[in-house]
Amino acid sequence: MSHSEAVTSLNHIPCVAPYGECAVRVFWDAEIRPDIHRQVRALHEELERRPFPGMLECVPSYAAVTVFYDPYTVWTARKQGDFGRDFSAEDPVYRTIVSLLEKRAAALDILAVSEPAVVEIPICYGGEYGPDLEEVARHAGMTPEEVVKVHASGEYLVYMLGFAPGFPYLGGMAESIAAPRRETPRSAIPAGSVGIAGKQTGIYPLSTPGGWQLIGRTPLPLFRPTEDPPSLLRAGDIIVFRPISRDEFRRLEQSGEYAVSEGASGAEASQAEISHGEERL
Amino acid sequence: MSITVLMPGMQTTVQDLGRTGYQKYGVIAGGAADSYALRVANLLVGSDEGAAGLEITLSGPVLQFECEALIAVTGGDLSPSVDGVPLPMWRPVLVPEGAELRFGAAKSGCRAYLAAAGGFDVPTIMGGRGTYLRAGIGGFEGRELRTGDVLPLGEPSEAGKQLAGELSSSSGKPFASVSWHADNRYIPPGRTSLTVRAMRGPEFEKFTTGSREFGFRRPFEATPQCDRMGCRLAGSSLVLERPVDMLSEAVAPGTVQVPPDGNPILLLADRQTAGGYPRIAQVAAVDLPIAAQLRPGQRISFLEITVEEAERLYRKREDQIRMMKQFMKISPL
C-alpha cells in the first residue's frame, strides 16, 4: 500500500457552512494535497449521483465543494416530506442542507471514488509556440531540452477548472523549472499555450492576455462548447504531456485528432507518485 | 418574425437565466444581470420566465420590428420610446410591424430588458441561450449586437397570442398597452444611493473590527470599472486582521470579495467560476437585481441581515413571481 492510499483511507471530516442563502460550502483544511482532493472528489461524485431536491449544481475546488441550491424548491420539497422525517419544516432551509451535507460527508467511502482518467496532452515545445522556453531554461540553469524533459516527465493532477472555461488548475510541476511571471504581460496569448508562472504550469483554453512564461502549445482544444462535456478535462484527471514536433502539431491541428486515453488505461497512475507544491493562482 | 438592429447601443446582448451545471468545467453561469427584470418581462408577454430577451446597457439600441410583436421593457428606465412616443415599462405592449423602438437618456438604473412574445430564437448551447462574451459563444453569434443584425423571434405561446389579439383591438396609437404594470419599486428613480441587504461572507470574521463595521455601515462608490462580471467599489479600504491562506474555490453572484488593495469587488452574472480573495459579504439573492442596476458613480451600502431573513425574502419574492404567473394565465385585460 502506497503512502497516499494509507492517508486517503482516512476520512477527514470537513466543515459545512452556509454561503449566502443559495449555497453551502463544504471545506477541508486549506491545503493543496491529493488526499484532501480525493475527499473533494468523493463528495462531488456522491452529490452528482444522488442530488437532493432543489440542488442546482456543485463545484469542486482544491479543498472545498460548493453546493448551489434553490431555497424555494428545497422548502417546498421538505414540506412534502422529500427530505425525510429528520428535517423539520420549521427550520431554516440552510440548516437542513448543512445537516444533510454533514451526514453525506461523514458517510463518504473515499476508496470508492472513481479512478482518475489519464489524459495525454501533446505539446510542441519551444520555437514560435514556446517563445519563453529559453528564458525559463536560463532561470532554471538548464538547457531548453532539459526543461522540456522535466516538464514532460511529470504527472499533473487537475485540482479544479476555473479562471476560463476548461482551464485546469494543476498540481505536480517540478520546482526546478519554476519561473517568475513575465514583467510585461502579453496582450494576447494564443489558445492552447502552455505556460509556467511561479511553481505552476497551465494551459490557456482561450486566447487571453497573460503574464505566464510560454514554453509550448497544444493543438488539442481544451474547451469544446458544442460537446458534452464541454471540457477536455475534469477535476481529478491526471495529465501527462507528450512532446511533439511542429509537423505533428500541424497534423493534429488540422485533423482534430484527440489523443485522449480514458479510465482504465490510466488506473495505475497513482497519485502517490505526484509531488505537489503549494502553488496558487 | 424578426427584429432588425438599426443601432446597437453601448452593450446589448441576448440573455436568459444563465447556465446550470457547467461551473465545474469553468463555464460561467452568466444570464441576465438583473434576473428579476427579465423574468417579469417574459411573463408579461406570456413567455416562459427563462426565455431569451435582450439586456440593454445604459445607452440603448434602436430596433426595428419586422412584424407585429407583443413586447415588454423592464429593468432600468433608459427612456424607451416607439416612433417618438414614450413606451410605458413593466407591462405588455403590442407594437405594429415597422415600429421603431429607441432608447434614450438613462433615467434610473443601468440595465433594461426587452422581452418579445416567443422569445429571441437563438441556438441553445450548454443548456442556455445567453451570450457568453468572453468565450464568444451563445446568444447572437456569441457577441454584442451590431448594426444590421436580424434577430429571429420564436413562436409566441397561446397566452401571448391571446394577449396580442386582445390588445390589437385598441388602435389609433403607435402601440397598444394596458393600464396596469408589474412591481418595479426596487429601482429607486433618480436616487444616487442604493442599499442592498447582505449576509456575512465566508471570511467576514477575518477582517479587522473596523473593516467589519465599515463593510456594513459606510457606503461605497461604484467605480467606472463595472461590467457584467462585477463592479469595483471604492470607499473605506477593507483590511484583514492578518494574511489569510486562501485557495481558489467557487464564488457566487452577489459575493463581495476584497483583493489586496482593499477595494471590494461585487460579483455579478459573468463572474469567473472561482475566486481566491477573502469574501466579506454576500448580497441576498432578492437584492441582486438592485446591485445589477448600480451605475458607475452611484453609492451602494450593505445592510446586514441573517441567512434566515434572506430565506424569508427569497420565499416572498418567489411567491410574488408565482402569483404573477397565475395572474397572466387568467388574461388580465
Side-chain angles (χ1 to χ4, degrees), chain B residues 104-192:
Chain B
K107 284 187 192 154
S108 74
C110 181
R111 295 178 170 95
Y113 293 84
L114 169 67
F120 287 80
D121 192 13
V122 296
T124 299
I125 187 161
M126 293 185 288
R129 289 183 157 166
T131 314
Y132 183 174
L133 287 170
R134 189 167 171 207
I137 58 164
F140 188 83
E141 297 180 1
R143 57 169 172 80
E144 297 172 12
L145 299 186
R146 289 183 201 145
T147 301
D149 286 347
V150 178
L151 314 171
L153 296 180
E155 177 72 16
S157 66
E158 284 310 312
K161 282 180 192 161
Q162 200 184 330
L163 249 172
E166 288 168 35
L167 279 171
S168 64
S169 55
S170 52
S171 59
K173 283 196 220 154
F175 51 78
S177 188
V178 296
S179 54
W180 53 267
H181 65 83
D183 185 9
N184 62 349
R185 284 166 299 180
Y186 72 102
I187 309 172
R191 284 259 297 275
T192 56

Side-chain angles (χ1 to χ4, degrees), chain A residues 85-132:
Chain A
R85 278 174 300 175
D86 295 352
F87 300 107
S88 159
E90 306 304 314
D91 272 354
V93 164
Y94 80 86
R95 264 195 221 140
T96 295
I97 303 304
V98 165
S99 109
L100 178 139
L101 290 173
E102 279 170 349
K103 281 184 193 154
R104 296 263 192 114
L108 279 183
D109 184 357
I110 295 305
L111 297 177
V113 69
S114 68
E115 281 304 329
V118 173
V119 183
E120 186 185 83
I121 297 186
I123 303 180
C124 181
Y125 286 98
E128 61 183 295
Y129 298 136
D132 302 326

Side-chain angles (χ1 to χ4, degrees), chain A residues 19-22 25 30-32 44 48 56-64 66 68 70-72 75 92-95 160-166 169 206 208 223 225-226 229-231 233-234 280, chain B residues 19-27 125-126 132 134-135 137 199 202-203 244-253 255 272-274 276 279 282-286 307-308 310-311 314-315 318-319 322:
Chain A
Y19 176 17
E21 80 281 45
C22 299
R25 301 167 61 232
E31 288 181 53
I32 300 175
H44 181 243
E48 294 225 312
L56 297 172
E57 64 185 301
C58 54
V59 187
S61 52
Y62 283 111
T66 309
F68 293 92
D70 172 22
Y72 197 93
W75 177 65
V93 164
Y94 80 86
R95 264 195 221 140
M160 60 190 282
L161 299 162
F163 170 68
Y169 288 66
L206 299 176
T208 139
F223 176 51
T226 55
S231 170
L233 302 167
R234 284 167 300 182
R280 301 172 41 179
Chain B
R19 299 187 164 84
T20 305
Y22 294 92
Q23 293 192 76
K24 63 185 172 194
Y25 301 123
V27 173
I125 187 161
M126 293 185 288
Y132 183 174
R134 189 167 171 207
I137 58 164
M199 292 150 278
E203 286 79 33
V244 178
D245 208 17
M246 292 265 310
L247 296 176
S248 287
E249 67 171 62
V251 290
T255 292
Q272 290 182 1
T273 53
R279 298 157 286 187
Q282 175 63 39
V283 175
V286 288
V307 182
E308 284 89 338
E311 282 183 7
Y314 189 100
R315 201 181 302 166
E318 293 308 306
D319 280 335
R322 276 161 178 80

Side-chain angles (χ1 to χ4, degrees), chain B residues 23-43:
Chain B
Q23 293 192 76
K24 63 185 172 194
Y25 301 123
V27 173
I28 62 168
D34 178 350
S35 59
Y36 173 76
L38 180 65
R39 293 169 80 185
V40 170
N42 276 324
L43 294 179

Side-chain angles (χ1 to χ4, degrees), chain A residues 10-252:
Chain A
L10 287 173
N11 194 357
H12 300 253
I13 303 298
C15 297
V16 184
Y19 176 17
E21 80 281 45
C22 299
V24 162
R25 301 167 61 232
V26 182
F27 54 103
W28 289 261
D29 291 342
E31 288 181 53
I32 300 175
R33 278 172 28 195
D35 60 329
I36 289 177
H37 195 255
R38 204 174 165 91
Q39 317 244 352
V40 167
R41 278 180 65 212
L43 180 64
H44 181 243
E45 284 182 5
E46 151 72 13
L47 287 169
E48 294 225 312
R49 227 173 9 240
R50 288 198 302 140
F52 57 84
M55 184 178 114
L56 297 172
E57 64 185 301
C58 54
V59 187
S61 52
Y62 283 111
V65 177
T66 309
V67 184
F68 293 92
Y69 61 92
D70 172 22
Y72 197 93
T73 312
V74 174
W75 177 65
T76 317
R78 195 178 61 181
K79 254 194 333 198
Q80 294 164 356
D82 293 354
F83 279 80
R85 278 174 300 175
D86 295 352
F87 300 107
S88 159
E90 306 304 314
D91 272 354
V93 164
Y94 80 86
R95 264 195 221 140
T96 295
I97 303 304
V98 165
S99 109
L100 178 139
L101 290 173
E102 279 170 349
K103 281 184 193 154
R104 296 263 192 114
L108 279 183
D109 184 357
I110 295 305
L111 297 177
V113 69
S114 68
E115 281 304 329
V118 173
V119 183
E120 186 185 83
I121 297 186
I123 303 180
C124 181
Y125 286 98
E128 61 183 295
Y129 298 136
D132 302 326
L133 179 61
E134 304 263 341
E135 172 62 29
V136 171
R138 238 191 324 275
H139 194 267
M142 296 180 186
T143 64
E145 292 73 27
E146 284 168 337
V147 170
V148 170
K149 202 173 166 215
V150 171
H151 192 262
S153 64
E155 281 190 340
Y156 302 85
L157 172 60
V158 178
Y159 277 100
M160 60 190 282
L161 299 162
F163 170 68
F167 177 88
Y169 288 66
L170 298 176
M173 193 182 80
E175 286 195 23
S176 58
I177 56 170
R181 285 162 196 267
R182 285 171 55 85
E183 278 178 27
T184 316
R186 288 187 172 85
S187 57
I189 288 178
S193 292
V194 178
I196 290 179
K199 290 186 273 182
Q200 321 189 73
T201 185
I203 311 161
Y204 285 88
L206 299 176
S207 176
T208 139
W212 291 36
Q213 307 272 9
L214 306 184
I215 59 166
R217 201 186 298 173
T218 178
L220 280 195
L222 269 68
F223 176 51
R224 307 129 177 230
T226 55
E227 289 174 35
D228 189 24
S231 170
L232 171 69
L233 302 167
R234 284 167 300 182
D237 285 353
I238 302 284
I239 289 184
V240 293
F241 295 124
R242 178 170 64 91
I244 56 170
S245 66
R246 286 167 67 159
D247 286 348
E248 193 174 353
F249 182 97
R250 295 207 184 94
R251 192 178 60 73
L252 285 170

Side-chain angles (χ1 to χ4, degrees), chain B residues 7 16 35 81 83 90 92 125 142 233 239 268 330 333:
Chain B
M7 299 253 284
D16 61 5
S35 59
S81 64
D83 297 335
W90 297 92
I125 187 161
L233 307 176
V239 285
L268 298 177
I330 54 169
L333 292 180

